[in-house]
Amino acid sequence: MKKLLSLVALGACLSFGAAQAQDKAPAPVVVAPAATPATPATPAMPAAKAPTAQQSKMTTCNKDAGDKKGDERKAFMKSCLSAKPAMTAKQTQQEKMKTCNADDKAKTLKGDARKAFMKECLSAKA
C-alpha cells in the first residue's frame, strides 16, 4: 500500500512539473537587420595605442642584448628590465611620486620608515 501511494505521489509530481514546463512560452527570436553599404558590418579599428613604458623598455633591452644567448641573455634581460629609471631634474613632483611609490622597498615599509624613505626618494635629484 505504501509503495502504491509513493508511486501515485511521484507520478503526480512529475505530471505537474511537465504541465508547468509546457506553460512557458519559448523566447522570441530576434533577427538583426542586414548591413547596408552606408553602415559597415564591422566597427572601425581603434587607432594603434602608443607603447607602454614597459614595452619601450623591452624594445630597448632587446636591442642592447644583441647576440647574447642562453643564460647570459636571460641574466642581461633580467637586470635590464628590472633597472629603475633614473630620476631627472625635469621630472614633475607627480612623476617622482609615482616612481617612488612603485619602488619595491616602498611597498614593504610602513609608518615612519615609509615616510622617511619617501622623503629621501622625493628629494633625490639624480
Side-chain angles (χ1 to χ4, degrees), residues 31-41:
V31 178
T36 61
T39 58

Side-chain angles (χ1 to χ4, degrees), residues 4-5 13-15 36 44-45 53 64-65 72 75 90 96 98 113:
L4 180 62
L5 287 176
C13 288
L14 290 175
S15 65
T36 61
M45 294 295 292
D64 293 345
E72 182 185 10
K90 294 181 182 179
K96 284 183 182 180
K98 197 179 285 188

